[in-house]
Amino acid sequence: MKKTVLRKYAALIARCGVNIQKGQDVLIRAELDQPEFVAILVDECYKAGARKVIVDWTHQPLEKLHVRHRSVKALCTVEDFEVAKFRYYEEKLPCRIVLVSEDPDGLNGINRGKMQKMQQARHSVLKPYLDAIEGKHQWCVAAVPGAVWAKKLFPELTRRQAVERLWEVILKIARVDDDPIAAWEAHNTDLKSRCDYLNSLGIRELIYHASNGTDLRVGMMEQGRFCGGGETSLKGVYFNPNIPTEECFVTPMRGEAEGIVYSTKPLSYQGQLIENFSIRFEGGRAVEVHAEKNEELLRTMISMDEGAAYLGECALVPFTSPINESGILFYNTLFDENACCHLALGMGYIDTVQDYGSYSLEELRKMGVNDSMIHEDFMIGTNDLSIDARCADGKVVPIFRDGTWAF
Ligand code: ZN
Ligand code: ZN
């Protein structure tokens, strides 16, 4: 891909994605196979005013080696220097950029039991620091084409051609054209007007139906607000947490979900795919799951902690979204979640609650925002999905018909 185009994309992430403030630190997490783009991105971060840019390199094969060779105790131990790093996040509130490029099947064969124990133990130690930065810093997840990922999507092409093809697709979907920042402003305005309408209705419940058997009701918090596109941190900085994004989403009321929902795309979890699954909810909790592939992994996912079996997000995306119309299954949530309507199991986003800054984290969770160490989106959109909203005044308003907006 041409360097000038990559630079536009990097500038979009630095300025529109995390919106670096003058003198702010930036933390980038990227896979080891992306040195060229990361160098451009670091340069753009400094140009946008960053004081210090830190890159945390990751490498999937190493993750597998660590889990294989370390004892459970060693895996679960959080070292002092790691805690110090989280203290630095809390104090300095750096912007965080995550570049995803990994192989969707890259963790196949890993010892899941050990990995689960490691994640649970580490999360319990680091949770106070994560809670302390919640809502306060800008963050952005964007994608770059990893070679193995690209080959999986375009197996008929050579490695080089596949990477180039995936670059084209990523940049098109991310609206990297002549003036990407202006394109994002227009896109954000459109998403906002849809959210404004949804928020004017006083929705208490979303009712989902599709011919695949989906029949689900999800309760909404009175203070819940649909959000889409950019958002504003508690420090007052406007940023775009996902590039791309096509969704209007809301955090549902914990404990209020009844019925069954069928997945319409595979869910990539911990480097493995869970396929053709259904989840039945009772009193808000996932009480029964079935999957044609990796059912056991799905069970592990919903038992990571107590909140992992409860919903943390309801997102509305038309089935005709540019990502769905590309016809590509990306095996990556950042893209696939923007292909059609989805739900998420696990943590709910506090910033979808009206005036969330005036409540403590505890109050927000009491209000109905679910808490969990996981947040996993799964796709439920079909071309015949219908969604109705039951509103506070008792009216039932059509929101989705035939897989797309009814208004
Ligand atoms: Zn979402
Ligand atoms: Zn989500």
Side-chain angles (χ1 to χ4, degrees):
M1 184 51 61
K2 273 199 216 139
K3 272 224 163 109
T4 47
V5 181
L6 294 183
R7 195 163 277 283
K8 269 190 187 176
Y9 183 44
L12 178 73
I13 295 168
R15 290 172 193 271
C16 188
V18 286
N19 189 7
I20 299 164
Q21 302 296 290
K22 206 170 163 34
Q24 197 175 10
D25 288 1
V26 181
L27 209 75
I28 299 172
R29 198 174 84 204
E31 279 277 304
L32 207 50
D33 64 347
Q34 300 296 328
E36 198 188 337
F37 183 71
V38 171
I40 298 172
L41 179 58
V42 168
D43 192 31
E44 287 300 321
C45 289
Y46 283 121
K47 282 184 185 156
R51 182 191 77 116
K52 194 184 265 188
V53 184
I54 301 166
V55 181
D56 267 343
W57 295 104
T58 57
H59 187 46
Q60 255 186 336
L62 290 188
E63 267 174 70
K64 277 177 96 163
L65 286 175
H66 292 323
V67 171
R68 187 186 308 157
H69 294 291
R70 288 182 189 173
S71 66
V72 171
K73 193 168 173 223
L75 280 172
C76 293
T77 306
V78 182
E79 305 297 343
D80 290 348
F81 68 86
E82 294 177 277
V83 176
K85 204 165 159 181
F86 276 79
R87 255 191 243 118
Y88 155 83
Y89 300 159
E90 188 183 342
E91 197 184 308
K92 288 275 198 287
L93 295 173
C95 304
R96 306 186 75 175
I97 297 171
V98 177
L99 292 179
V100 298
S101 63
E102 61 267 18
D103 171 10
D105 302 313
L107 295 182
N108 271 354
I110 203 164
N111 184 328
R112 280 182 213 150
K114 275 174 98 176
M115 186 147 150
Q116 183 185 6
K117 280 193 186 117
M118 169 186 79
Q119 288 170 332
Q120 286 167 331
R122 294 180 62 83
H123 186 80
S124 67
V125 175
L126 299 172
K127 188 167 187 342
Y129 302 100
L130 294 169
D131 282 351
I133 59 175
E134 176 82 23
K136 291 190 191 138
H137 68 303
Q138 313 103 272
W139 54 279
C140 177
V141 185
V144 279
V148 185
W149 180 30
K151 255 311 247 185
K152 185 176 170 79
L153 302 194
F154 309 108
E156 70 288 0
L157 302 180
T158 65
R159 205 167 238 255
R160 225 191 133 96
Q161 289 169 331
V163 168
E164 190 61 14
R165 179 82 189 95
L166 186 50
W167 260 131
E168 286 164 13
V169 172
I170 288 173
L171 295 173
K172 179 162 188 281
I173 290 171
R175 297 179 160 76
V176 178
D177 53 13
D178 294 340
D179 188 351
I181 291 177
W184 271 81
E185 275 165 13
H187 181 48
N188 276 335
T189 306
D190 175 58
L191 286 172
K192 191 176 175 301
S193 68
R194 296 225 175 255
C195 291
D196 286 347
Y197 171 72
L198 291 166
N199 292 332
S200 73
L201 296 172
I203 300 175
R204 287 292 161 275
E205 191 177 51
L206 291 177
I207 305 159
Y208 295 81
H209 284 112
S211 63
N212 64 5
T214 288
D215 180 359
L216 180 74
R217 292 168 169 264
V218 184
M220 297 289 127
M221 288 179 282
E222 200 182 320
Q223 303 89 336
R225 288 292 171 272
F226 280 86
C227 301
E231 54 187 77
T232 304
S233 76
L234 286 175
K235 300 281 170 192
V237 183
Y238 187 77
F239 68 104
N240 281 280
N242 283 182
I243 295 177
T245 186
E246 303 291 333
E247 60 177 356
C248 292
F249 67 101
V250 68
T251 300
M253 175 77 156
R254 181 188 157 112
E256 291 189 2
E258 303 293 332
I260 190 159
V261 66
Y262 287 82
S263 72
T264 55
K265 286 179 194 290
L267 161 62
S268 176
Y269 178 64
Q270 294 187 342
Q272 297 168 83
L273 295 175
I274 303 168
E275 291 179 50
N276 295 325
F277 57 97
S278 66
I279 305 178
R280 193 166 65 77
F281 290 90
E282 238 177 64
R285 200 165 161 270
V287 290
E288 191 184 338
V289 300
H290 294 289
E292 276 175 24
K293 196 179 151 201
N294 271 328
E295 182 170 297
E296 213 36 59
L297 182 61
L298 181 57
R299 275 184 224 289
T300 303
M301 189 181 104
I302 65 165
S303 57
M304 286 303 279
D305 56 19
E306 211 237 321
Y310 289 84
L311 291 173
E313 177 186 349
C314 296
L316 307 176
V317 184
F319 201 68
T320 52
S321 86
I323 294 176
N324 214 22
E325 291 201 324
S326 76
I328 301 167
L329 178 64
F330 288 86
Y331 302 99
N332 182 297
T333 304
L334 177 65
F335 289 87
D336 293 330
E337 77 153 337
N338 285 302
C340 61
C341 285
H342 56 274
L343 301 170
L345 281 161
M347 185 194 67
Y349 292 115
I350 58 168
D351 48 13
T352 65
V353 172
Q354 176 140 48
D355 302 325
Y356 68 104
S358 58
Y359 301 99
S360 70
L361 205 49
E362 224 177 23
E363 287 169 324
L364 289 162
R365 291 189 175 139
K366 259 197 203 127
M367 203 182 274
V369 179
N370 188 34
D371 186 21
S372 171
M373 62 184 286
I374 69 157
H375 175 98
E376 294 295 335
D377 293 302
F378 61 97
M379 302 312 120
I380 62 162
T382 62
N383 60 8
D384 70 350
L385 177 67
S386 78
I387 306 173
D388 286 302
R390 193 180 51 77
C391 307
D393 59 8
K395 262 192 240 144
V396 175
V397 179
I399 302 296
F400 254 61
R401 284 293 178 269
D402 299 324
T404 190
W405 299 111
F407 62 87

